[in-house]
């Protein structure tokens, strides 16, 4: 059986690749595998490069789980929100090499990393939850509010505005874009640069900078668990 997440360790960094079908859906199995991969990267004390398949980083949560029942949707979204919390507090730099489309949870993963590189092309990046009939959850609002440019926050959350890679840089989903064949070389170059950071200082400073944000996100996750979700329309 093939794994939905591939792990490759190099001298200064690791590459974690999501490979789960055409949409690269974020399922329970993908989240579990990502947590295992981040565990291993933390043990190795290495910078993480998270990427997807050519043309698609991720189109978001697995729709079968999201539309099965409100309880099933809440379970998956809660796991996904906890994954974002972990990435945002991860003690080593997390780089995303966004290999194409990044929609819904795919875009939230972009907002959960330290540095995001996109690829040029006719790709869509953004949060389409409201468009598909899902009231945005509290954790999603906290993640977006902290990481998106203020003028794009409500446009992205309330209006489901979807961006090109270039506009996604302006909005705050990406830090830069490069030609497709430069994506991984650029990510590797940045990973090697980040590997020279003092590991203890990086980890402690990240937690100081994000202290209030991380606390707010944890509270939002708990609030979602209490209130439940309005899942996507079938």
């Amino acid at each position: 059986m093939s794994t939905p997440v591939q792990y490759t360790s190099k001298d200064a960094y690791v590459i974690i690749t999501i490979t789960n079908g055409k949409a690269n859906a974020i399922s329970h199995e993908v989240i579990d595998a990502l947590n295992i991969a981040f565990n291993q990267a933390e043990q190795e004390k290495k910078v993480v490069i998270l990427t997807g398949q050519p043309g698609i980083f991720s189109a978001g949560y697995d729709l079968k789980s999201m539309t099965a029942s409100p309880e099933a949707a809440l379970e998956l979204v809660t796991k996904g929100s906890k994954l974002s919390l972990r990435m945002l507090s991860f003690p080593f730099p997390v780089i995303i090499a966004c290999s194409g489309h990044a929609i819904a949870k795919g875009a939230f993963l972009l907002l959960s990393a330290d540095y995001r590189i996109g690829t040029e092309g006719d790709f869509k990046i953004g949060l389409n939850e409201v468009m598909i009939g899902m009231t945005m959850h509290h954790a999603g609002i906290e993640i977006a509010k902290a990481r998106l440019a203020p003028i794009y926050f409500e446009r992205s959350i309330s209006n489901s505005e979807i961006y090109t890679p270039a506009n996604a840089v302006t909005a705050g989903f990406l830090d830069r874009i490069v030609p497709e064949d430069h994506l991984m070389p650029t990510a590797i170059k940045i990973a090697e640069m980040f590997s020279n950071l003092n590991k203890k200082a990086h980890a402690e400073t990240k937690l100081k900078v994000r202290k209030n944000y991380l606390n707010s996100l944890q509270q939002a996750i708990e609030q979602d668990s209490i209130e439940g979700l309005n899942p996507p329309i079938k």
Side-chain angles (χ1 to χ4, degrees), residues 51-169:
T51 191
Q53 302 180 72
I56 180 83
F57 176 62
S58 175
Y61 285 123
D62 174 45
L63 284 180
K64 288 183 179 179
S65 295
M66 291 298 292
T67 58
S69 68
E71 294 75 19
L74 177 61
E75 182 183 5
L76 183 57
V77 169
T78 298
K79 286 179 72 169
S81 297
K82 289 179 178 179
L83 173 63
S84 286
L85 182 65
R86 182 179 190 186
M87 289 173 62
L88 287 160
S89 57
F90 194 69
F92 307 103
V94 177
I95 300 163
I96 288 183
C98 183
S99 49
H101 301 294
I103 300 295
K105 187 58 184 181
F108 276 122
L109 289 179
L110 294 179
L111 299 176
S112 306
D114 297 305
Y115 198 90
R116 298 78 45 88
I117 310 160
T119 182
E120 296 172 354
D122 186 21
F123 299 119
K124 297 178 180 179
I125 296 174
L127 307 170
N128 72 338
E129 280 81 354
V130 168
M131 181 67 71
I132 63 173
M134 178 180 176
T135 301
M136 187 63 75
H137 53 306
H138 293 289
I141 291 170
E142 287 298 321
I143 294 169
K145 182 168 62 176
R147 303 304 301 277
L148 290 177
I151 196 171
Y152 287 92
F153 168 60
E154 287 199 28
R155 288 168 58 177
S156 300
I157 289 287
S158 301
N159 300 341
S160 290
E161 188 167 341
I162 304 298
Y163 306 99
T164 64
N167 289 337
V169 173

